Amino acid sequence: MNPKFNINTYTHIRNGKLSLNGNIVFEDETKDFSTFIKSAYRSQDMDYPKFFKMDNLSKLAFMAADIILRSTSNSEENIAIVLSNKASSLDTDRKHQESILDSDNYFPSPSVFVYTLPNICIGEICIKHLLFSENSFFIFDNFNPDHLWIQTEHLLKTKKANKVLCGWVDFDDSNYDAFLYLVEEEGDLDHTIKDIKQLYLCQ
Amino acid sequence: MRKIYLSYNSIISSLGFDSETVIEKIKDEVSGISVINDKALFHNPFYGSVINKTILENEFEALKAKENYTVLEQMMLLSLNKVIAASNITIDESVGLIISTTKGNIDVLNKTSGFDKSYAYLSRIGTALKNHFLFKTEPLVVSNACVSGILSISVAKRLIQEKVYKHVFLVSGDLVSKFVLSGFNSFQALSDSICKPYSKDRAGINIGEAIASILITSDTNYLTEESVELLGEANCNDANHISGPSRSGEGLYRCVSSAMREAAIQPEEIDYISAHGTATIFNDEMEAIAFNRLGFQNIPLNSLKGYFGHTLGSSGLVETIVGMYSLKQNTLFCSKGFTSLGVSKPLQIIEKTKQQQLDIFLKTASGFGGVNTALLLKSIS
């Protein structure tokens, strides 16, 4: 018989709010993402200077993941990461494009270009939490719980991972939306497509 | 678990518009990389491999497509069309579509592009292909840096094993674009000659363009002579740096070990390694360290970047298809551009194309974000 998996923890970052398991842990009315995420970082007593070098998508994904993973003590744990969004890395793509538009004002930078891939944010999470595990990044028009569910179930059933951190992290033209959740054997919520959908929509 | 096979395939590249032609060129040790002088792509002449757009136009016209497609979409349509037609599979609810790309239609962000900027959203490619071929299921886009092509094969396998699909068509592609060239140039990673993976005198990468398509299935009624069985696959992060590979080769070491466990094979059963070999000092050195930690230093190994350049999100699939033909023809293709070993650990670089009995090969790739992937594939004939 297949083991049953559960959603242990989940987090949202949207509309100036950072919440854990449905409870708001930080709130800032400011509309501007970069100010909001910096205040959120300070509110959580994080000490990770690299955070300030990240692009918007990475800051968003990193913050959401950190809220979930900091309670995980064993850094060598095999936690796979499966993320998805609509805009890929377009926010940073547009910045790199801006730097190459004009041959008289040409300033492409490696520190911007490296973030023109959506999976870089997974790399940032892996570095901080020392995760040598499986990662994948998928692009969809909309949040796709069916696909996240099947990928996660497969990784856990085949023991390619002990836990899976998955969800949606989208940053596009100053709009942001993050919903991450951790699936494992322990937890109070069933890992079903219906439950994932409900948690995504809550708030 | 169902057995998974890689079957009907197509490569469109500067070496030709179908897999067989491309393989013949590789057998003759012809490189598709040349000096390209196109100010719309780069301010100076550069070494790269670009698909001939006149041939593309002619071939695409024969498809009689009704809509206006971007260059990348045209190439993907053409490539996928060949594979779908050859396989003779009816597109229904049991057939999935996966697209592997890093940057998709990124060229639409250029001022001169006649396409709407919304075409830069990667799901647009899925919509275009779905509508053209009348796929009944939602296309899946994998965008995971330079391992996307290999990771997509793993994803297809899992979806078939989980009985979501019976067959999956996978298409991969990335353009040689101003966007990508300017970025790699800012890293000072572009070579001023044809790249020389693992060589002492290497000077960086060449960016290339190649589109590949393949059928992945568990149904033995849909196999070809070059079909292979996917024995094991894995993907591991270095947890080290977003743009530099791990000095200990940790992620690559771990993912190859994990793929070997799944495949339940011993190191001596691997006949050939199709490695990543971008010809940057850090990448090549990392691979040499990882392969030595695995005890693979005596297994014949090549990098195919000297033929295609680095074709980014397509490279993993293109190079896997070439490996399938290597097994079919029992031929080890020479690692084009190799001069003398320039890594700190021994590697068995294939210096001359030669005949040898081949049964199992390992395909690996690594990329930005610290990702590493491995596949183990076995000849079925």
Side-chain angles (χ1 to χ4, degrees):
Chain A
M1 224 178 86
N2 287 334
K4 185 175 162 302
F5 302 108
N6 297 285
I7 298 173
N8 183 300
T9 322
Y10 60 94
T11 180
H12 294 84
I13 304 180
R14 57 170 71 132
N15 304 324
K17 294 186 188 74
L18 164 62
S19 66
L20 179 64
N21 299 325
N23 305 309
I24 296 174
V25 293
F26 176 76
E27 192 170 358
D28 183 349
E29 292 299 302
T30 177
K31 289 263 185 294
D32 160 50
F33 175 77
S34 69
T35 316
F36 161 72
I37 203 75
K38 260 183 235 163
S39 332
Y41 171 92
R42 297 211 169 92
S43 79
Q44 298 306 304
D45 297 324
M46 290 164 76
D47 182 19
Y48 196 68
K50 269 193 216 166
F51 180 80
F52 297 98
K53 291 186 178 172
M54 295 179 198
D55 76 339
N56 289 322
L57 179 65
S58 286
K59 281 191 180 116
L60 182 65
F62 183 90
M63 176 66 79
D66 208 69
I67 299 295
I68 291 180
L69 294 179
R70 65 173 148 191
S71 52
T72 307
S73 53
N74 182 3
S75 63
E76 277 272 342
E77 230 177 334
N78 184 359
I79 306 174
I81 304 184
V82 181
L83 298 186
S84 58
N85 76 8
K86 175 182 164 85
S88 181
S89 54
L90 264 174
D91 177 57
T92 301
D93 293 358
R94 292 180 188 121
K95 289 187 179 113
H96 176 68
Q97 182 69 23
E98 194 64 33
S99 73
I100 61 168
L101 272 182
D102 188 350
S103 54
D104 295 328
N105 184 24
Y106 184 82
F107 56 96
S109 146
S111 58
V112 173
F113 182 67
V114 69
Y115 286 101
T116 63
L117 294 164
N119 64 298
I120 299 298
C121 68
I122 301 181
E124 295 284 16
I125 297 166
C126 288
I127 293 168
K128 166 78 194 294
H129 298 280
L130 216 62
L131 302 176
F132 297 99
S133 38
E134 150 108 18
N135 6 139
S136 44
F137 206 109
F138 297 95
I139 311 291
F140 298 105
D141 257 339
N142 297 294
F143 181 64
N144 187 332
D146 300 61
H147 183 72
L148 293 174
W149 181 83
I150 196 86
Q151 290 293 324
T152 302
E153 286 282 315
H154 183 86
L155 287 167
L156 294 171
K157 276 196 295 193
T158 57
K159 302 205 180 332
K160 291 212 168 191
N162 301 329
K163 299 180 183 184
V164 183
L165 176 68
C166 44
W168 177 263
V169 277
D170 199 37
F171 195 100
D172 191 5
D173 195 21
S174 78
N175 297 311
Y176 59 95
D177 186 21
F179 164 57
L180 296 193
Y181 56 97
L182 185 69
V183 184
E184 56 173 297
E185 283 181 18
E186 306 293 314
D188 296 332
L189 297 160
D190 290 341
H191 182 236
T192 65
I193 294 167
K194 190 171 147 248
D195 283 61
I196 299 169
K197 214 180 278 180
Q198 251 169 21
L199 289 180
Y200 172 69
L201 292 172
C202 81
Q203 287 196 349
Chain B
M1 284 278 192
R2 297 173 173 188
K3 285 189 175 185
I4 303 294
Y5 304 97
L6 278 60
S7 184
Y8 293 93
N9 59 82
S10 136
I11 299 174
I12 296 180
S13 78
S14 57
L15 288 175
F17 272 62
D18 58 72
S19 302
E20 289 75 13
T21 311
V22 170
I23 300 302
E24 280 309 304
K25 292 272 176 63
I26 291 176
K27 220 173 177 176
D28 293 340
E29 301 183 15
V30 176
S31 173
I33 300 164
S34 60
V35 178
I36 294 160
N37 197 349
D38 182 348
K39 290 250 179 327
L41 288 176
F42 200 61
H43 50 80
N44 288 328
F46 66 99
Y47 280 86
S49 104
V50 173
I51 292 168
N52 184 314
K53 300 300 179 310
T54 315
I55 303 175
L56 172 67
E57 216 169 278
N58 291 338
E59 292 230 357
F60 190 72
E61 250 181 45
L63 274 190
K64 296 198 166 51
K66 289 186 192 81
E67 280 177 47
N68 200 11
Y69 293 105
T70 66
V71 170
L72 180 66
E73 289 163 7
Q74 288 182 26
M75 298 194 285
M76 286 184 164
L77 279 168
L78 197 57
S79 164
L80 195 52
N81 186 60
K82 289 181 191 188
V83 173
I84 293 175
S87 73
N88 211 14
I89 283 173
T90 311
I91 307 281
D92 60 21
E93 282 74 15
S94 71
V95 180
L97 170 64
I98 299 180
I99 295 137
S100 163
T101 185
T102 64
K103 298 315 307 164
N105 291 318
I106 196 68
D107 54 328
V108 303
L109 295 186
N110 287 336
K111 273 190 220 154
T112 49
S113 167
F115 289 92
D116 192 272
K117 292 207 168 18
S118 66
Y119 278 42
Y121 288 89
L122 298 182
S123 58
R124 149 70 204 176
I125 299 173
T127 308
L129 298 178
K130 181 186 175 185
N131 292 346
H132 179 86
F133 294 107
L134 302 175
F135 274 90
K136 306 288 186 284
T137 55
E138 280 312 304
L140 194 62
V141 178
V142 174
S143 189
N144 219 66
C146 299
V147 308
S148 303
I150 292 188
L151 181 62
S152 299
I153 296 172
S154 300
V155 171
K157 167 199 167 221
R158 297 169 188 185
L159 291 173
I160 295 171
Q161 287 185 335
E162 293 295 330
K163 302 192 169 117
V164 177
Y165 301 124
K166 273 190 197 155
H167 313 285
V168 172
F169 287 101
L170 163 60
V171 57
S172 66
D174 265 308
L175 296 169
V176 169
S177 61
K178 188 177 175 181
F179 186 100
V180 165
L181 287 165
S182 60
F184 278 101
N185 186 54
S186 75
F187 266 104
Q188 298 182 314
L190 295 183
S191 172
D192 56 4
S193 60
I194 296 183
C195 67
K196 298 173 176 175
Y198 309 109
S199 304
K200 228 176 230 166
D201 54 346
R202 65 195 180 281
I205 66 172
N206 305 130
I207 300 293
E209 209 165 63
I211 311 300
S213 299
I214 198 159
L215 169 69
I216 299 172
T217 183
S218 59
D219 189 338
T220 51
N221 293 311
Y222 294 95
L223 302 186
T224 58
E225 279 185 358
E226 68 276 12
S227 286
V228 291
E229 184 191 342
L230 176 51
L231 301 176
E233 43 85 18
N235 155 2
C236 291
N237 200 286
D238 279 333
N240 175 64
H241 196 278
I242 53 169
S243 59
S246 150
R247 290 194 187 258
S248 61
E250 196 58 35
L252 183 57
Y253 173 81
R254 288 185 188 226
C255 78
V256 173
S257 308
S258 167
M260 301 255 313
R261 273 195 299 278
E262 184 181 7
I265 61 164
Q266 299 302 314
E268 55 273 21
E269 291 178 74
I270 301 173
D271 298 308
Y272 157 56
I273 302 170
S274 174
H276 192 49
T278 57
T280 66
I281 290 172
F282 289 121
N283 173 81
D284 294 2
E285 181 65 17
M286 177 280 284
E287 288 186 275
I289 290 167
F291 289 135
N292 273 267
R293 284 179 67 189
L294 289 156
F296 290 1
Q297 59 275 13
N298 295 320
I299 303 175
L301 172 152
N302 67 10
S303 157
L304 297 167
K305 301 290 188 293
Y307 297 97
F308 300 103
H310 190 347
T311 58
L312 309 173
S314 206
S315 58
L317 181 56
V318 170
E319 294 163 11
T320 297
I321 293 173
V322 175
M324 289 164 62
Y325 284 87
S326 252
L327 296 196
K328 177 191 166 192
Q329 302 183 359
N330 287 306
T331 306
L332 291 170
F333 297 125
C334 100
S335 194
K336 184 88 185 159
F338 182 72
T339 52
S340 64
L341 195 67
V343 288
S344 69
K345 300 274 188 257
L347 286 175
Q348 193 66 46
I349 309 288
I350 304 164
E351 295 192 46
K352 254 189 144 34
T353 296
K354 60 183 171 201
Q355 293 284 306
Q356 190 172 308
Q357 184 64 36
L358 303 173
D359 188 35
I360 293 178
F361 83 102
L362 167 68
K363 174 73 204 117
T364 64
S366 303
F368 277 178
V371 284
N372 301 272
T373 49
L375 299 177
L376 281 158
L377 302 133
K378 185 182 193 312
S379 165
I380 54 160
S381 52

